[in-house]
């Protein structure tokens, strides 16, 4: 397989690039990334594999995309490029519509053009549990049959792109699958998201800003488990175990309240309970996500393998030991965002 990854310099993308390069059945890995604030060349700077190539550019650039698919003889795409942070989507929706919806449309049109000229390219569209909306405390976990009901601008743009992907599969016969994973954690995550933000603030003696009452629940999946799931989905789509247009969910049976997470981070970093600060709640804050993964188990033999205790302690150690990486993302843009969001 010759694989194009979009957004390969981001958090999940960089782990998926590494996982793809471990596969003997993959002979080329091309990473197309615009390097927005969350894309970081440092994430993959140690890769020396000749099968890997980085291209700096946007998924919204249809010419670049067509040229890349053609010149690199790509037969499979894992599409991760996105604006990915809910709080930023509340701040400003436009980049989310442009990248998540229109960028996905550009990819679909390009794949359709290749399909019409006789080249069938498989596409894995990487989506999120957030498209399903929010659960109550006693509700059953989301399944692939749960109706879409996004409740914040980020989730709405991901849901819209999912719908486009399914429409292109149904109308034009493209070979596509959609994956939906719950919250990821692990090394290289941009510290605007809960776990890395809290880990760094805890180690640096800063405040730990909990939105609202901190009783919101997320189902945490280690990024390596998600990356492995994406590769298995690609193989599944190519060998017919997954039919075009199908959805696969990934979860970990690992529901935790935000407050529980912050307490664990305090324990792992020897921070102080007094660092906790209750701040204004996120508008439209989803209360609970929980993802069933019975289909992933049955169809592609995927199960989460990284235990929470091991995963979280390794993640905290990674942030402690990778000061250079942390400094590399602490640019003016990041500091402006943190100041705007948390008031300095
Ligand atoms: P991230 O913000 O760390 O990475 C996004 C990457 O996309 C960055 O490298 C960025 O430079 C790149 N990018 C943005 N706009 C682009 C464009 N127009 N063209 C090319 N590249 C562009 O995000 P992440 O957490 O790694 O998420 C990756 C994907 O996984 C997203 O589609 C997200 O919706 C999905 N997802 C994330 C989670 C999670 O918990 N983080 C869970 C489920 C699904
Ligand atoms: P986040 O990492 O932004 O992921 P998502 O919104 O996609 O679930 O947030 C995870 C949870 O942590 C969410 O309930 C919001 C909460 N949160 C805080 O309480 N404080 C913070 O500073 C951040 C970034 C998130």
């Amino acid at each position: 397989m010759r694989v194009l990854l979009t957004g390969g310099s981001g958090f999940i993308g960089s782990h998926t690039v590494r996982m793809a390069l471990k596969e003997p059945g993959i002979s080329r890995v091309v990473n197309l990334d615009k390097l927005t604030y969350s894309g970081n060349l440092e994430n993959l700077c140690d890769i020396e594999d000749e099968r890997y190539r980085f291209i700096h550019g946007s998924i919204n650039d249809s010419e670049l995309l067509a040229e890349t698919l053609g010149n690199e003889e790509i037969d499979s795409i894992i599409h991760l490029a996105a604006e990915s942070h809910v709080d930023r989507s509340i701040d400003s929706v436009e980049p989310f519509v442009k990248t998540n919806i229109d960028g996905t449309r550009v990819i679909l049109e390009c794949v359709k053009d290749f399909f019409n000229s006789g080249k069938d390219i498989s596409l894995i569209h990487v989506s999120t549990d957030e498209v399903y909306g929010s659960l109550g405390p006693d509700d059953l976990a989301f399944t692939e049959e749960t109706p879409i009901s996004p409740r914040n601008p980020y989730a709405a743009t991901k849901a819209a792109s999912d719908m486009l992907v399914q429409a292109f599969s149904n109308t034009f016969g493209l070979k596509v699958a959609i994956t939906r994973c719950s919250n990821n954690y692990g090394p290289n995550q941009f510290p605007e998201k809960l776990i890395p933000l809290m880990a760094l603030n805890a180690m640096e003696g800063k405040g730990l800003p909990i939105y609202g009452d901190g009783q919101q629940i997320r189902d945490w999946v280690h990024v390596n488990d998600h990356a492995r799931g994406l590769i298995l989905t690609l193989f599944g789509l190519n060998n017919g175990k997954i039919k075009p247009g199908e959805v696969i969910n990934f979860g970990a049976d690992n529901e935790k309240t935000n407050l529980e997470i912050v307490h664990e981070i305090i324990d792992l970093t020897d921070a102080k309970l007094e660092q906790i600060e209750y701040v204004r709640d996120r508008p439209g804050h989803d209360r609970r996500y929980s993802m069933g993964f019975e289909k992933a188990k049955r169809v592609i033999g995927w199960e989460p393998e990284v235990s929470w205790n091991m995963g979280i302690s390794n993640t905290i150690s990674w942030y402690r030991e990778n000061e250079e990486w942390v400094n590399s993302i602490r640019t003016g843009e990041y500091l402006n965002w943190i100041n705007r969001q948390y008031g300095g």
Side-chain angles (χ1 to χ4, degrees):
M1 280 195 282
R2 298 179 65 88
V3 184
L4 172 70
L5 277 108
T6 69
S9 301
F11 166 49
I12 302 167
S14 58
H15 289 274
T16 311
V17 164
R18 286 178 194 283
M19 194 90 33
L21 289 170
K22 285 190 189 144
E23 288 293 335
I26 296 182
S27 57
R28 188 72 164 155
V29 176
V30 179
N31 166 19
L32 174 68
D33 197 300
K34 188 179 165 187
L35 298 180
T36 64
Y37 75 92
S38 68
N40 188 345
L41 285 177
E42 294 273 322
N43 288 343
L44 294 170
C45 60
D46 57 318
I47 298 229
E48 286 175 356
D49 196 312
E50 282 178 358
R51 292 174 298 161
Y52 175 68
R53 177 179 173 202
F54 171 68
I55 299 176
H56 185 202
S58 173
I59 54 167
N60 293 79
D61 182 345
S62 57
E63 267 178 43
L64 174 66
L65 207 52
E67 194 184 292
T68 304
L69 293 180
N71 290 349
E72 288 288 348
E73 298 175 37
I74 296 297
D75 49 48
S76 307
I77 303 174
I78 303 181
H79 170 37
L80 296 117
E83 290 295 333
S84 66
H85 191 39
V86 174
D87 291 319
R88 286 184 189 247
S89 80
I90 294 167
D91 212 36
S92 167
V93 184
E94 203 244 328
F96 286 75
V97 171
K98 186 155 187 235
T99 298
N100 299 2
I101 304 178
D102 208 41
T104 302
R105 176 198 58 86
V106 170
I107 293 177
L108 287 165
E109 304 250 37
C110 232
V111 171
K112 179 179 137 221
D113 289 346
F114 274 81
F115 181 74
N116 288 342
S117 61
K119 171 122 191 183
D120 201 355
I121 299 175
S122 309
L123 169 67
I124 307 300
H125 174 66
V126 181
S127 188
T128 165
D129 59 352
E130 301 204 19
V131 300
Y132 294 123
S134 182
L135 293 169
D138 302 321
D139 290 337
L140 295 176
F142 299 128
T143 73
E144 289 80 1
E145 313 308 321
T146 305
I148 300 296
S149 180
R151 289 162 32 94
N152 62 60
Y154 161 69
T157 60
K158 292 299 289 187
S161 63
D162 289 11
M163 303 279 94
L164 269 181
V165 169
Q166 280 180 319
F168 268 68
S169 171
N170 182 57
T171 309
F172 305 113
L174 304 190
K175 205 200 293 177
V176 299
I178 296 173
T179 61
R180 296 184 179 136
C181 190
S182 51
N183 288 61
N184 283 210
Y185 72 101
N188 304 87
Q189 186 169 31
F190 196 79
E192 61 188 352
K193 306 277 184 354
L194 179 75
I195 289 180
L197 182 107
M198 294 294 179
L200 291 176
N201 282 12
M203 290 188 273
E204 293 168 5
K206 295 184 184 157
L208 305 173
I210 301 219
Y211 298 166
D213 63 4
Q215 294 305 316
Q216 301 80 9
I217 291 172
R218 301 291 183 261
D219 180 1
W220 293 93
V221 174
H222 192 274
V223 66
N224 284 344
D225 280 329
H226 186 187
R228 188 170 41 84
L230 296 178
I231 305 285
L232 284 172
T233 304
L234 186 56
F235 283 117
L237 184 63
N238 282 342
N239 66 24
K241 283 187 185 160
I242 297 173
K243 302 279 171 294
E246 276 198 72
V247 176
I248 301 278
N249 289 349
F250 301 121
D253 241 339
N254 184 36
E255 289 186 49
K256 299 209 174 268
T257 66
N258 295 338
L259 204 54
E260 280 174 312
I261 301 257
V262 170
H263 278 279
E264 289 194 47
I265 292 175
I266 289 174
D267 285 346
L268 287 164
T269 55
D270 294 326
K272 298 192 177 63
L273 278 175
E274 298 75 62
Q275 285 172 242
I276 290 181
E277 288 171 2
Y278 288 90
V279 300
R280 191 176 75 97
D281 205 355
R282 172 188 280 172
H285 200 167
D286 285 345
R287 198 70 184 162
R288 173 174 168 242
Y289 304 142
S290 172
M291 236 4 196
F293 54 89
E294 187 277 330
K295 182 175 177 185
K297 209 164 158 178
R298 178 169 40 83
V299 176
I300 51 171
W302 179 90
E303 280 190 86
E305 286 176 355
V306 181
S307 77
W308 167 256
N309 286 344
M310 179 71 84
I312 190 67
S313 75
N314 287 347
T315 301
I316 302 298
S317 303
W318 188 88
Y319 281 93
R320 186 182 289 117
E321 288 156 16
N322 285 273
E323 213 178 321
E324 215 169 296
W325 184 92
V326 171
N327 290 334
S328 79
I329 56 90
R330 281 188 165 151
T331 60
E333 197 284 337
Y334 173 70
L335 297 173
N336 285 343
W337 165 255
I338 292 291
N339 282 340
R340 268 217 317 281
Q341 186 72 4
Y342 303 103

